[in-house]
Amino acid sequence: MASFCDWLDARTDYRRYFAPIRNRGVVGGPSWWLTSGSLLLWLFVIELITGLALMASYSPSMASAWASVHFIDQTPGGAFLRGIHFYTSHALILAFLAHLIRVVLTAAFREPRELIWITGLLLIPLTIAWTVTGNPLSANVKGMAQIDVEGKIVASTPVIGPTIQRLLIGGNAPGNLTLTHLYFLHVGMMPVLVFLVLGLHITQVYRHAASISDDNDRNEQGNVQPYWPNQTFRNMIVLAFVLGVIAYLTWRFGAPLNAPADSSLTHTPRPEWYFRWLFELRRYLTGDWEFLATVILPTVVLAYFLLLPALDRALSRRLSAGLRILTVLIGAGVVGSLTWISFARDWEDKEYMASEQATRDLGARAKFLASRGGLPVEGAITLLRNDPKTQGPVLYRRHCAACHPHTNENGEGIVPQTASAPNLYSFGTFTWIEGVLDHEKFVSPQYFGKTKLVEGDMASKLKEMFEGAKDASQLKKQMAAAARALSAEAKLPSQAEADKRDTAQIAEGVKLIQGDLSCTECHKYGEEGELGSAPDLTGYGSREWLAGIISDPKHERFYPDDRNDRMPAFASDPQQPQQNVLSPRELDLLVSWLRGEWKEEPSATQ
Amino acid sequence: MNETGRRSFLKWLSGLLGATVAAIVGIPTVSFAISSLRKQTSPQASLRRVVRLGDLPQDRPVMIPIVGDLEDAWTVYADEPIGRVWLARGTLDSADPTKTPLKVFSAVCPHLGCTVQLGSDGKLFVCPCHNAAFKFDGERIAVCAGGGQNPSPRGMDPLEYKIVQDGATKDWWVEVKYEQFELGKPTITPLT
């Protein structure tokens, strides 16, 4: 080994290149203060390694970005790798804060270390910009909303703002070019810039040695100990601890992946935690003053720190120490409390918290759908757009909930302001139909109580039957059989087992509907009865039946002419779907949702 | 402990901590980087309905695409051709169609995976890439179509099939279990 090293050294002279590292000393002995710089460097290296590996499976386009990130999470090691990359980016910013505080407190910016100070300060906005270009890369709803707002903030900078925004977003609205631009910045431009500045920073640190005290004598004349292993040992302890926390967070929570970006999803955008103080400040500076919080203030803060060495020179040692301590205390106090106020406001905001929960639920739903059926060619956006569980309530609220409630037995669900039509929760099931066939329930607000059917033949017929019944329990039994038979017409997935099991009751019900209960005097049912006077009972509640009544309730199969109360026709013209309120796709989604037909995890349906 | 002993202890401890850090980052990185080398969990090959038995010409092989869900990493292309098969049918047995002589081969050449075509004389299967030639019963011919040695290590790969009757229309159909096999080897090994 030794002879091989000699051989290699004779040819490459490598020992000379590595000598500065090997012979590096630490003035005044090892110190925990000095670990923050080393920590930052290693976190950068971790980001570089994990980021390069992630590039192997990432695809920047609106159709494939989310899908490829979800794919990475399914790949062995992928989820953990992405988690490390994600949490390390946050740790980097925290480590920068710690490093900045220690440099300010030890006045490490004094001559001859001006270049270390300037390059170090530059690295902070560069690193933040680096993480900002990374967050939206999965084309998730949160990241894309963030970069949209961030782009607009950049655009509010006079003169150069709009140009920079277009370079960042690639156009007016976030899209494919945003992802390719951000990808270029994140894996190409920003690393080059950061490592150029970082290279200068580190070579300067080697040239002048790190400063550990604001007492210059100690920095210059303290006893020198070897850096390796005396300081390295402390560096490694801090690095291992920080990475341990990162690994724990990754293992426990993983890197988040919100729902695929879709402007039709409701989402309340919020900046990352490191922008929260500016976000909070912006609240107090509205209108033209907003610019102060978003652009001027960060610039002023940066400029103040750049000028700190000059202030330090102008002041006496005692005054400078006071100024530096005050800077740290006031800075940490202001930034910390603004951040806290901003988060606290959101935590108390029920609407925001509900929106956050909804965003999380959508993300979980999208991930579930993607792992169940793969991703369609059209991209991740269609996962939720074609999902009845997601779109059903949206469509119902928009089109049905002006009159129809959709609430379960506890009254939870979609509640209209003034309910004036039947509750469609569990429509077509045995329980629902049994209610229709009860003379009291029929005229209750849960069913037709607030429609003109209260005055109709069905209401009076039911009343007559129940009040004139010789054997009320016998009639109830017959009605139950009829309800069983009718609910089997819908072929609901939730009743598939019951439909198979209760064939005898269903057969009896069919006979009763066509016979003793004389339903077919008004209703058509199978071969019996005729259309025109009351809704068709054939295929009652089936996909086709539901689509029919929603499309056109005045069709002769349902409530022709003035028999219809107030229900509008949502898709009366099948020839020209673009003129209808509901598109064929929306109608399909709504029908599926009303019938409870959607992909669900096995545990959730039990 | 003397100074030298303390230093070597610190060196050892630093090395240990550094190795831990390297492992936390390195293990998932390497495991992710080599994930393409792992065996793919391909969807279970199942019998797919390919063609009506009566639609196949007699004694003249035809190539038919197998349609299924094509998976490409994160994207699923529904109902796309996922492969092609050659079917060679003998005389139809009208008494018991399941006894009709039928040969089903994967159209993938066992040499390097090109799609085997019908030779220009219509009497042999010939691969257009390196002229590997096969008889209609799939047997490898020692000499290539254009002369020279047949580069294919084995005959064409037969596929499992079943002749079934449709319950509703009473038509007889051919169902084929489409599989892919390792290339370049004398023996047939399914790819998993």
Side-chain angles (χ1 to χ4, degrees):
Chain A
M1 191 66 198
S3 65
F4 172 75
C5 289
D6 290 342
W7 177 85
L8 194 67
D9 186 51
R11 272 133 196 96
T12 61
D13 207 8
Y14 79 91
R15 285 189 182 127
R16 190 161 66 88
Y17 297 115
F18 286 103
I21 295 178
R22 217 147 30 95
N23 304 334
R24 190 179 180 189
V26 55
V27 184
S31 158
W32 291 106
W33 282 102
L34 289 178
T35 55
S36 62
S38 151
L39 173 68
L40 272 168
L41 177 64
W42 286 114
L43 292 182
F44 271 121
V45 171
I46 290 172
E47 284 301 71
L48 195 72
I49 293 169
T50 52
L52 278 172
L54 287 168
M55 279 175 75
S57 294
Y58 172 71
S59 164
S61 88
M62 286 308 282
S64 60
W66 191 93
S68 65
V69 172
H70 181 260
F71 180 79
I72 287 172
D73 283 352
Q74 310 296 310
T75 310
F80 198 79
L81 192 63
R82 200 168 75 82
I84 298 266
H85 193 71
F86 174 81
Y87 288 109
T88 302
S89 77
H90 291 274
L92 255 177
I93 293 171
L94 282 174
F96 254 119
L97 281 179
H99 194 51
L100 179 70
I101 289 173
R102 100 101 170 122
V103 167
V104 170
L105 287 181
T106 57
F109 43 68
R110 286 188 184 143
E111 64 172 351
R113 299 188 177 82
E114 299 94 335
L115 279 180
I116 306 182
W117 173 244
I118 293 169
T119 50
L121 277 180
L122 277 179
L123 279 171
I124 297 176
L126 281 177
T127 305
I128 290 176
W130 200 358
T131 64
V132 161
T133 55
N135 289 330
L137 284 181
S138 61
N140 71 82
V141 66
K142 184 179 165 201
M144 291 307 273
Q146 283 177 337
I147 198 69
D148 191 19
V149 178
E150 281 153 5
K152 282 165 185 155
I153 287 171
V154 169
S156 71
T157 316
V159 194
I160 53 163
T163 314
I164 298 180
Q165 185 213 13
R166 283 190 78 87
L167 288 174
L168 192 69
I169 304 291
N172 290 325
N176 280 326
L177 281 174
T178 313
L179 290 177
T180 52
H181 281 216
L182 290 178
Y183 190 48
F184 155 72
L185 289 168
H186 192 71
V187 308
M189 197 69 198
M190 295 313 298
V192 169
L193 280 178
V194 166
F195 281 98
L196 274 179
V197 180
L198 194 60
L200 187 56
H201 187 80
I202 290 172
T203 46
Q204 282 286 306
V205 169
Y206 269 84
R207 172 74 182 75
H208 301 294
S211 145
I212 48 155
S213 163
D214 74 339
D215 180 351
N216 259 359
D217 297 340
R218 270 192 68 196
N219 283 332
E220 307 300 332
Q221 287 143 22
N223 79 315
V224 179
Q225 286 190 24
Y227 195 91
W228 161 254
N230 295 22
Q231 180 63 37
T232 311
F233 159 69
R234 297 188 186 213
N235 294 345
M236 282 297 137
I237 287 187
V238 172
L239 174 64
F241 172 76
V242 170
L243 192 65
V245 173
I246 290 170
Y248 171 77
L249 289 171
T250 302
W251 168 75
R252 185 78 179 73
F253 304 106
L257 179 59
N258 283 301
D262 181 347
S263 54
S264 68
L265 296 180
T266 41
H267 169 66
T268 318
R270 285 287 183 274
E272 288 299 324
W273 59 268
Y274 38 85
F275 287 140
R276 275 286 181 143
W277 65 289
L278 292 170
F279 176 73
E280 180 62 22
L281 201 61
R282 188 209 51 86
R283 286 179 59 92
Y284 313 109
L285 304 162
T286 47
D288 292 344
W289 296 101
E290 206 170 274
F291 176 62
L292 262 178
T294 53
V295 182
I296 299 289
L297 190 73
T299 319
V300 167
V301 170
L302 191 64
Y304 170 74
F305 280 112
L306 277 171
L307 290 174
L308 204 55
L311 285 171
D312 173 63
R313 254 200 315 274
L315 298 170
S316 72
R317 257 193 66 184
R318 280 183 64 117
L319 274 177
S320 164
L323 176 72
R324 285 182 283 111
I325 291 170
L326 268 181
T327 302
V328 170
L329 287 180
I330 293 179
V334 168
V335 171
S337 39
L338 283 172
T339 306
W340 172 258
I341 293 168
S342 177
F343 276 111
R345 177 175 292 110
D346 276 348
W347 290 331
E348 276 162 27
D349 184 345
K350 282 207 180 86
E351 226 167 275
Y352 171 77
M353 292 311 271
S355 162
E356 266 296 283
Q357 187 57 47
T359 303
R360 273 196 294 274
D361 291 347
L362 286 175
R365 180 77 186 152
K367 282 192 270 191
F368 163 70
L369 289 170
S371 50
R372 264 297 278 279
L375 279 115
V377 187
E378 300 83 3
I381 196 169
T382 53
L383 284 176
L384 293 176
R385 284 199 174 170
N386 292 340
D387 175 32
K389 191 186 181 188
T390 307
Q391 300 300 331
V394 177
L395 291 165
Y396 192 91
R397 279 202 176 85
R398 193 179 303 153
H399 298 293
C400 317
C403 307
H404 290 281
H406 192 280
T407 51
N408 63 14
E409 23 328 309
N410 305 327
E412 299 156 349
I414 302 171
V415 188
Q417 275 191 331
T418 44
S420 61
N423 182 354
L424 296 183
Y425 175 81
S426 75
F427 177 83
T429 61
F430 170 70
T431 329
W432 198 91
I433 295 175
E434 205 183 22
V436 174
L437 299 181
D438 181 294
H439 67 301
E440 278 165 1
K441 283 188 183 159
F442 185 87
V443 294
S444 75
Q446 279 292 305
Y447 285 92
F448 298 97
K450 295 193 176 166
T451 71
K452 67 179 183 187
L453 268 66
V454 174
E455 314 286 323
D457 295 341
M458 181 78 177
S460 52
K461 182 83 185 185
L462 279 172
K463 196 171 173 207
E464 195 181 299
M465 284 171 91
F466 273 90
E467 283 173 1
K470 290 189 196 105
D471 183 352
S473 70
Q474 172 67 13
L475 181 63
K476 268 228 134 76
K477 239 187 190 164
Q478 289 182 327
M479 287 298 189
R484 253 337 271 122
L486 271 182
S487 74
E489 293 284 312
K491 296 196 166 53
L492 292 169
S494 61
Q495 295 198 150
E497 268 177 48
D499 288 352
K500 242 190 236 166
R501 190 185 56 219
D502 302 336
T503 42
Q505 201 189 10
I506 292 170
E508 189 202 340
V510 171
K511 237 186 266 166
L512 284 166
I513 294 169
Q514 293 172 340
D516 287 0
L517 294 176
S518 56
C519 306
T520 44
E521 274 178 24
C522 304
H523 295 274
K524 186 174 181 346
Y525 184 59
E527 300 297 309
E528 301 288 317
E530 276 177 26
L531 294 180
S533 50
D536 189 2
L537 299 183
T538 323
Y540 190 82
S542 64
R543 293 195 68 88
E544 189 270 336
W545 193 96
L546 269 170
I549 194 166
I550 298 170
S551 299
D552 186 8
K554 285 194 177 182
H555 189 276
E556 62 163 354
R557 282 181 64 195
F558 307 104
Y559 298 99
D561 311 318
D562 61 343
R563 285 174 190 276
N564 183 33
D565 193 344
R566 285 148 295 151
M567 173 136 166
F570 288 92
S572 55
D573 193 345
Q575 301 307 316
Q576 287 168 300
Q578 69 279 11
Q579 300 209 341
N580 295 331
V581 179
L582 286 173
S583 71
R585 193 183 66 89
E586 289 173 320
L587 186 60
D588 204 50
L589 286 166
L590 189 56
V591 166
S592 300
W593 181 70
L594 285 171
R595 292 170 46 80
E597 286 175 328
W598 56 73
K599 284 182 192 163
E600 198 62 89
E601 303 199 39
S603 60
T605 51
Q606 279 166 9
Chain B
M1 206 192 285
N2 64 21
E3 185 59 18
T4 331
R6 203 179 82 93
R7 270 199 196 144
S8 59
F9 173 71
L10 288 185
K11 279 183 186 177
W12 178 82
L13 203 60
S14 305
L16 186 73
L17 288 168
T20 312
V21 167
I24 293 176
V25 178
I27 291 172
T29 304
V30 171
S31 144
F32 179 74
I34 63 166
S35 58
S36 326
L37 305 180
R38 285 165 198 260
K39 290 195 170 176
Q40 314 257 303
T41 48
S42 53
Q44 203 71 39
S46 57
L47 285 166
R48 291 169 204 269
R49 203 167 274 203
V50 173
V51 65
R52 252 192 292 263
L53 188 63
D55 289 351
L56 286 172
Q58 191 175 326
D59 300 326
R60 184 166 58 81
V62 286
M63 186 160 66
I64 291 175
I66 301 282
V67 175
D69 285 353
L70 186 65
E71 277 187 41
D72 177 4
W74 47 83
T75 308
V76 175
Y77 301 88
D79 302 329
E80 285 282 318
I82 54 171
R84 276 171 281 210
V85 292
W86 278 104
L87 294 106
R89 200 200 77 185
T91 319
L92 196 67
D93 186 334
S94 42
D96 183 0
T98 58
K99 298 233 170 79
T100 303
L102 181 69
K103 297 273 179 194
V104 182
F105 300 107
S106 166
V108 176
C109 177
H111 177 216
L112 287 170
C114 298
T115 302
V116 173
Q117 307 287 342
L118 216 53
S120 49
D121 60 354
K123 300 261 168 63
L124 290 171
F125 291 125
V126 176
C127 178
C129 291
H130 305 99
N131 291 331
F134 310 90
K135 290 191 203 161
F136 283 173
D137 63 2
E139 194 191 324
R140 170 184 180 275
I141 296 174
V143 180
C144 273
Q149 213 195 331
N150 191 337
S152 177
R154 59 176 190 254
M156 284 175 74
D157 298 326
L159 294 171
E160 200 183 310
Y161 71 89
K162 213 174 178 181
I163 296 172
V164 293
Q165 190 171 30
D166 186 281
T169 63
K170 304 291 170 201
D171 286 334
W172 288 90
W173 285 82
V174 181
E175 287 184 351
V176 176
K177 186 170 164 189
Y178 183 73
E179 278 185 288
Q180 285 172 297
F181 306 96
E182 277 184 28
L183 302 173
K185 291 187 180 158
T187 50
I188 300 177
T189 324
L191 276 182
T192 46

